[in-house]
Amino acid sequence: MSEVRLIDSKELDFTVRGGPPGAAYVARALSPEVSPNIGVGFARWEGAEVAWTLLYDEVVFVIEGCFELTANGKKHEVRPGQMLWIPEGTELIYGGHALFGYVVHPGNWKELHGLS
């Protein structure tokens, strides 16, 4: 049986995921080895714009700042206390200036899509 884990974003290693211009950093907090069902992490966006097509369902919840997501021609501005659910297959652009958390399902999406 797995144990309960406390994860502090300040203790994670953030890797660059976008920019310049701007910058984007992501830190995975739960690996597929811990849970193949969900992936959880933190991200810090500093004005970068990153285009991506989701290979999983995703929830983004903003901790500070304003996260921007453009999908299907519509721009969403997400502020602290708000979250977005984004379905698999969505073509999008991440942007804004924010610290946010994310949850993806399935957590082992890279393996399932042959990307690991």
Side-chain angles (χ1 to χ4, degrees), residues 27-74:
R28 184 85 180 248
L30 287 182
S31 68
E33 294 75 35
V34 173
S35 174
N37 300 313
I38 61 170
V40 180
F42 293 92
R44 207 171 51 241
W45 241 250
E46 299 173 356
E49 291 190 350
V50 176
W52 176 244
T53 300
L54 290 188
L55 301 174
Y56 41 77
D57 287 342
E58 182 173 28
V59 173
V60 170
F61 48 95
V62 176
I63 299 164
E64 61 185 44
C66 181
F67 173 71
E68 298 173 356
L69 180 119
T70 303
N72 303 320
K74 184 175 180 185

Side-chain angles (χ1 to χ4, degrees), residues 60 62 65-69 76-80 82-84 98:
V60 170
V62 176
C66 181
F67 173 71
E68 298 173 356
L69 180 119
H76 302 270
E77 293 185 352
V78 189
R79 300 190 186 279
Q82 297 180 322
M83 61 183 244
L84 283 178

Side-chain angles (χ1 to χ4, degrees), residues 4 9 16 34 39 42 48 52 70 72 75 79-80 83 86 88 97 103 107 109-110:
V4 173
S9 65
V16 176
V34 173
F42 293 92
W52 176 244
T70 303
N72 303 320
K75 184 176 184 177
R79 300 190 186 279
M83 61 183 244
I86 314 158
E88 180 177 358
H97 295 266
V103 178
W109 64 271
K110 285 185 180 180

Side-chain angles (χ1 to χ4, degrees), residues 79-112:
R79 300 190 186 279
Q82 297 180 322
M83 61 183 244
L84 283 178
W85 175 75
I86 314 158
E88 180 177 358
T90 301
E91 294 181 25
L92 52 77
I93 300 171
Y94 297 107
H97 295 266
L99 172 65
F100 60 93
Y102 66 87
V103 178
V104 300
H105 178 268
N108 62 346
W109 64 271
K110 285 185 180 180
E111 177 186 330
L112 295 173

